[in-house]
Amino acid sequence: RQRQMCIRDRVEEKISGALRNSNLSFQAAETGVRAAEAFLDNLADDSAFLSTQEGLYSLADEEPNNLFTINWDNGNSSKLAKLEGILESPRYMIKKLEELKTERALNITGYETSANTQTTVIFRITARSMGGNNTAQTILRTHYAKRF
């Protein structure tokens, strides 16, 4: 009976450690998404997306195909500062998807519908992070619109 409790305790510890590692990975990837959004917020125009560079992809350029197997490096993504307790620094890539000119209306669920007076650019943000070790990896993808 005592042996069964000891085995159960070890299993629970492993499950708890895996959940913690997965949670660290997810939170770090969210930090990557927020960093990418902050990068976009600080742009005065979208000229940074005229050509592909360190994680920025233009309208014409393709992102890597399999995000789980690529080598996330400076050639395809931007790196954040190291986070405590995370194996590797989170990374992100931003793809310019579409420009909405003044003749089109922008309608995003949860936001007002309005005629554009400026160009609205739609971006796809992809962020990746590991957890405290290499057994957890999180890739988050979101879309972000900004008016220029």
Side-chain angles (χ1 to χ4, degrees):
R1 183 159 189 99
Q2 187 176 11
R3 179 171 165 78
Q4 287 177 332
M5 288 180 64
C6 186
I7 292 171
R8 189 182 80 215
D9 288 346
R10 279 191 232 148
V11 169
E12 287 176 357
E13 280 182 26
K14 287 186 177 198
I15 291 171
S16 177
L19 285 171
R20 180 181 182 279
N21 197 32
S22 178
N23 190 33
L24 282 171
S25 174
F26 183 81
Q27 288 181 21
E30 282 186 319
T31 300
V33 168
R34 287 192 304 274
E37 290 173 346
F39 173 82
L40 291 171
D41 281 342
N42 289 323
L43 293 178
D45 58 37
D46 64 342
S47 62
F49 292 89
L50 293 176
S51 63
T52 298
Q53 57 183 326
E54 282 193 23
L56 305 181
Y57 293 83
S58 69
L59 278 170
D61 294 322
E62 293 295 322
E63 297 166 290
N65 287 333
N66 191 333
L67 299 173
F68 287 99
T69 60
I70 66 166
N71 183 23
W72 287 71
D73 58 28
N74 289 341
N76 62 20
S77 59
S78 295
K79 183 177 179 178
L80 276 66
K82 182 90 168 87
L83 299 176
E84 187 176 330
I86 303 299
L87 182 65
E88 296 177 13
S89 297
R91 291 185 163 273
Y92 67 83
M93 55 181 73
I94 305 171
K95 164 77 173 159
K96 180 179 177 181
L97 292 178
E98 185 177 3
E99 291 182 7
L100 303 176
K101 301 294 182 183
T102 56
E103 64 273 4
R104 292 183 61 186
L106 176 63
N107 187 1
I108 300 175
T109 303
Y111 295 91
E112 80 273 359
T113 301
S114 63
N116 291 328
T117 57
Q118 301 168 307
T119 299
T120 301
V121 181
I122 309 296
F123 299 97
R124 178 173 47 229
I125 298 170
T126 306
R128 176 219 183 237
S129 182
M130 302 295 284
N133 60 40
N134 65 355
T135 63
Q137 173 182 217
T138 300
I139 295 178
L140 296 178
R141 182 168 268 182
T142 186
H143 290 83
Y144 193 83
K146 176 164 177 161
R147 288 191 176 142
F148 291 102

